[in-house]
Each structure stands twice: as C-alpha cells, then as structure tokens.
Amino acid sequence: MHIPNVTRHFTAGQFGQLHFRMAGKASTKPAIVCLHMVSKSSRSYQNVMPFLAKDRLVIAIDYPGYGESSLPTDERQTTIENYARAMWQVLDHLDIQHVDLLGYHTGCMVSVCAARQFPLRVNKVINIAAPIFRDEEIQTFCDMYAPLPIDEAGTRFTIMWQRILEHRGPGMTLQMCADSMAENLRGGDAYEWGHMAAFQHAKRYIDNIKQLAQPLLVMNLNDDMHEHSKRVDEYLQIGLRKDYMHWGAGFLDAYPVDVANEVLSFLEDAP
C-alpha cells in the first residue's frame, strides 16, 4: 500500500505567516483538519497523517505563535476564536469547502469553535479529550501554567521535562518525549499564551458543544484530561464519548495505524 508523504507549506494569515502540513489528495470525501494541543504544533500529527490520508486530503495547522507560524504581537490577540479563524484562512487559501475536524486538548476547543463559525462547512468533529473545566479548576490551571521566566538554572526547561515524563503514556519512548519537549520550546516566552486562551474559553466550549449540529466523538484517553472528559456526556447533542484506557500521551506517535483506523471508522460511518 502506498503511504502518502507529508509536505510542509506556508500561507498568509491575520497575524503573519501560517505553517501547515499536508498529506494525501483531495477527493469526494471531506478533508481532515488536525488541530494540535498547546504548546505543541502540527508536528503532533506527523506520523498519523499518512494513514489518515489513504483516500482523502489531510491537513494539520500550526496556530499563530506555535510551530512555525508567526506570533501575534499582543497576547490579547491569542484567542481560541482567532485560532479557529486561522484554520479557516488556511482552508480558504487551499479552496477547501468541506472538512472533518480532529482536535486534541486545546484543539478540541478550536475544532468546536470552528464548527460553530462555519457550520455548513463541517461534516463531523472528533475531540481527543473534552476539556470540561469547573470554575474552581480554572484558576488552579492558570496558576499551574503561568509562564516561567528563563533563568540560569533552567527551571522552565526542568519543569517542562518533568511534566512530559509525568504524563508519558504507553508506548511513548524517550525520543518521543524529547520531540515533545522541542515543540514546547518553539513558542519562546509566549509558549503559554495558548493555555491562557483555552482557560478563558472554557465556558464557551461547553456552550458550543451544547449547540453543535455535527456528530461529535470524544476520544477519552487515559491521561490528565480523563476525568474532565467524562463530564461531556450531559452536553452531547449528537455524538458519544468512547474511552481508550490503553492509550495516553504520545499515542499518535506510538500507535498511528490503530489511531487512524479508529478515526476513519467514525468519520466514514453513516450518521
């Protein structure tokens, strides 16, 4: 079986250049758009994209300020809504009208927001986790993910590495951990802007799910969002939550074929 290559591209966006990856070719099926967690990038989907792209186009996009996309000049410009708009800017550049959306952690919020912005252009949505946060948890998260200044002791980098190892899932090698660490570093001093945008968007994410017109699959991994994701059940309109206790952080790299099969199974099933 031919495995499509992943290629890399740029286009102009609202805040500068937007970087994105592509695999496969356009077909009668909707393109799959992959939306990453922060502070990662489209690199998260590098290994699974070829297996998603058997008979359709697959695109993974770096949000403004992550990966190789340009950083906004002001943190106030960093919002989930603007991440979703950046996604549509890439798709408009490619003249892609109909898509399925695959979001991971922060990408869950971006995908549901994007589906609410242009509902007629979105077929189905998959969220890897469902970041359903209670009010009292949001401030705790803001404190936990407050940006750490660079010092000579390397405190920022030590804490980053410790968190990666703490959340390391089955099959995630040390090299995969190192690759994950490298993606964190691309954001520079703005590496936590995306987390703050997500925490500010938490209530709107719930509202968007309640009003979502598309079928939604929540893939609930055995990770730090597992218990939060269980809360999504009461808000689902058309869709389901499915638990994957054998998968955790790093699963996209560790088990790309199995992940692609699971994603495509949901996307290709009749509504």
Side-chain angles (χ1 to χ4, degrees):
M1 182 181 70
H2 171 68
I3 304 298
N5 292 325
V6 177
T7 58
R8 297 165 64 186
H9 311 266
F10 288 91
T11 189
Q14 181 179 357
F15 304 112
Q17 286 191 308
L18 290 168
H19 173 256
F20 58 99
R21 289 171 159 84
M22 298 177 65
K25 296 181 179 179
S27 70
T28 57
K29 296 181 178 181
I32 299 174
V33 180
C34 303
L35 301 161
H36 62 87
M37 70 167 73
V38 296
S39 30
K40 311 303 179 184
S41 75
S42 61
R43 166 64 185 78
S44 302
Y45 293 97
Q46 175 79 19
N47 290 329
V48 75
M49 287 178 69
F51 301 104
L52 292 172
K54 291 186 292 186
D55 58 359
R56 65 172 88 196
L57 183 64
V58 180
I59 305 153
I61 300 168
D62 290 350
Y63 311 139
Y66 290 98
E68 296 188 37
S69 289
S70 300
L71 176 69
T73 57
D74 189 327
E75 184 176 0
R76 291 172 296 182
Q77 298 170 325
T78 302
T79 65
I80 297 299
E81 288 83 1
N82 279 341
Y83 288 167
R85 292 186 187 104
M87 184 202 86
W88 289 118
Q89 289 161 20
V90 171
L91 297 181
D92 288 345
H93 164 73
L94 297 171
D95 196 25
I96 294 172
Q97 295 302 312
H98 296 103
V99 295
D100 291 313
L101 301 179
L102 172 61
Y104 193 169
H105 284 206
T106 313
C108 299
M109 293 184 174
V110 178
S111 65
V112 174
C113 179
R116 295 281 294 135
Q117 288 175 344
F118 291 96
L120 297 181
R121 296 176 66 176
V122 178
N123 179 47
K124 291 185 178 181
V125 182
I126 297 177
N127 279 186
I128 303 170
I132 307 290
F133 302 141
R134 298 188 175 117
D135 289 347
E136 64 272 18
E137 293 171 331
I138 293 173
Q139 185 57 55
T140 300
F141 284 134
C142 286
D143 294 341
M144 181 183 302
Y145 290 99
L148 297 166
I150 292 179
D151 59 21
E152 292 186 357
T155 304
R156 176 193 292 179
F157 313 121
T158 300
I159 291 176
M160 278 185 181
W161 183 246
Q162 289 172 344
R163 287 175 177 171
I164 290 169
L165 293 182
E166 178 184 352
H167 298 307
R168 180 184 182 188
M172 189 176 186
T173 65
L174 282 176
Q175 183 59 56
M176 293 175 189
C177 292
D179 292 341
S180 178
M181 178 76 171
E183 292 306 306
N184 285 357
L185 300 180
R186 287 175 175 263
D189 284 341
Y191 73 105
E192 291 290 18
W193 285 11
H195 270 137
M196 297 305 119
F199 302 144
Q200 292 169 8
H201 190 83
K203 291 183 179 179
R204 196 165 302 167
Y205 174 64
I206 294 173
D207 290 339
N208 284 339
I209 287 180
K210 289 178 181 178
Q211 300 174 64
L212 192 67
Q214 295 84 2
L216 171 65
L217 169 65
V218 174
M219 299 178 65
N220 189 19
L221 308 185
N222 186 11
D223 66 3
D224 57 318
M225 287 287 105
H226 181 77
E227 293 302 321
H228 302 85
S229 298
K230 291 180 180 179
R231 302 170 186 167
V232 76
D233 294 0
E234 63 180 293
Y235 306 120
L236 289 172
Q237 301 302 309
I238 310 171
L240 72 154
R241 169 178 59 89
K242 187 174 179 180
D243 294 343
Y244 299 83
M245 295 303 294
H246 56 299
W247 286 341
F251 82 121
L252 293 173
D253 288 328
Y255 310 106
V257 175
D258 293 339
V259 174
N261 289 339
E262 193 70 14
V263 168
L264 293 174
S265 176
F266 174 74
L267 295 181
E268 296 178 358
D269 279 349

